[in-house]
Amino acid sequence: PALFDRFEEDFDLYRLKPYNAGADYQSYTSNDPMTYADKIISWLSSAKLIIKLPQDSDERDMRDSNSGKERFVIGVLAAADERLGRRLQASVRNQLAFYITVRGWYCGRALLMKRPDGHSFVDITPWDPLHAAWDTDDDGIAWACYKIRKTARELKSQYGVEDLVESKEAQSGDGVKGFEVYDYYDRETNRVFMADRELKAPMRHGSPNVPVFAGTVGSTPYIQSDMQADTIKYHGESVYKADRALYERQNL
């Protein structure tokens, strides 16, 4: 799809994909796309986060209740960041700041999970919009699915899969290691599967809705045009919206 092509092209800008001026020419790649995006990401990540419930009553009990809810949200975000840190991943805010800036879309999973031993933990996991899919109806997100690559060792640890071989992990043909795993949610259940097997049978996730959030950057709605077949690539723009063509001319 045109939107996914734009995702990839914008990421090439961010990672400073080397410019090739051709044979017998010296090539120079401008670093402006990375420094510009990193500045926006830094602003989003370091901005003061204010969690506040409106005080609709002067009653002491109501104020104490709202204060407790605010502290709960602060604790939930801290617990989510701690869990991500143990997995050597950036915090929720830092990851979302990157996707908002470079992708122009953001999404992820948010659940309060319970382990088999009864202990609960906070699971807020940002997703890369390039590998996420969902559909909506009048009540919001109806279902969502995230594709992620996992190693044979991860699949054995998480799902007890024994017959996968590490040397055959490059399943996609592009040399990227890992087996493709699909994490699917609807309004009642969650199931995990691969192309050739089910890893987790449908199980109730306990959330009253699909436990997935998603959104776009900017105010541009999805425009349906009679002149262009695919206009979704203009919906949810990245920070490079006005500069893509300029960066191409800056390179020498």
Side-chain angles (χ1 to χ4, degrees):
L3 178 63
F4 287 178
D5 291 340
R6 196 202 78 198
F7 284 167
E8 295 283 40
E9 291 165 4
D10 284 352
F11 185 63
D12 283 343
L13 283 175
Y14 178 77
R15 69 183 182 90
L16 304 183
K17 182 180 180 180
Y19 173 72
N20 184 5
D24 300 325
Y25 287 91
Q26 291 184 342
S27 299
Y28 164 79
T29 304
S30 170
N31 69 345
D32 280 356
M34 178 179 284
T35 57
Y36 178 38
D38 281 345
K39 182 185 296 185
I40 306 301
I41 293 170
S42 176
W43 286 347
L44 291 173
S45 299
S46 59
K48 186 175 181 180
L49 180 62
I50 299 175
I51 299 172
K52 182 175 178 60
L53 269 67
Q55 300 291 344
D56 296 330
S57 173
D58 293 332
E59 296 180 11
R60 178 62 181 269
D61 290 345
M62 181 62 70
R63 294 202 306 271
D64 290 345
S65 175
N66 287 343
S67 296
K69 295 174 185 176
E70 292 169 358
R71 289 193 294 270
F72 173 76
V73 173
I74 293 171
V76 162
L77 292 176
D81 288 343
E82 181 182 358
R83 180 172 178 269
L84 289 171
R86 290 197 301 269
R87 297 162 58 194
L88 306 182
Q89 296 186 25
S91 68
V92 173
R93 288 189 70 189
N94 288 349
Q95 290 192 53
L96 292 179
F98 174 84
Y99 291 130
I100 286 170
T101 303
V102 178
R103 295 290 198 215
W105 289 64
Y106 61 90
C107 59
R109 176 183 65 234
L111 272 173
L112 189 61
M113 303 285 286
K114 183 178 288 187
R115 294 188 174 92
D117 61 5
H119 288 83
S120 60
F121 64 95
V122 176
D123 176 16
I124 304 178
T125 304
W127 290 351
D128 184 350
L130 178 63
H131 302 294
W134 58 81
D135 197 6
T136 60
D137 57 22
D138 290 343
D139 295 322
I141 296 178
W143 62 266
C145 186
Y146 188 55
K147 180 179 73 174
I148 187 171
R149 288 191 178 98
K150 292 182 178 290
T151 65
R153 190 169 302 176
E154 287 178 308
L155 291 170
K156 180 178 180 180
S157 172
Q158 294 178 8
Y159 302 107
V161 179
E162 299 281 356
D163 60 339
L164 298 178
V165 181
E166 296 275 356
S167 61
K168 295 182 179 180
E169 283 180 357
Q171 296 291 299
S172 64
D174 57 8
V176 179
K177 292 290 185 179
F179 296 94
E180 291 183 345
V181 176
Y182 298 87
D183 192 7
Y184 175 85
Y185 295 85
D186 58 25
R187 289 197 168 99
E188 295 182 355
T189 62
N190 164 231
R191 63 185 292 248
V192 182
F193 56 93
M194 297 169 62
D196 62 343
R197 70 187 71 194
E198 188 170 65
L199 301 175
K200 176 183 176 182
M203 181 180 296
R204 293 184 64 86
H205 50 62
S207 173
N209 298 296
V210 179
V212 171
F213 59 90
T216 62
V217 177
S219 57
T220 304
Y222 175 47
I223 301 296
Q224 298 187 37
S225 172
D226 292 335
M227 303 298 294
Q228 299 186 45
D230 193 351
T231 58
I232 195 172
K233 66 178 180 180
Y234 306 113
H235 181 47
E237 270 284 10
S238 75
V239 74
Y240 300 128
K241 176 180 179 180
D243 298 323
R244 294 186 185 96
L246 293 178
Y247 291 139
E248 293 179 6
R249 288 163 175 75
Q250 266 189 307
N251 296 326
L252 300 174

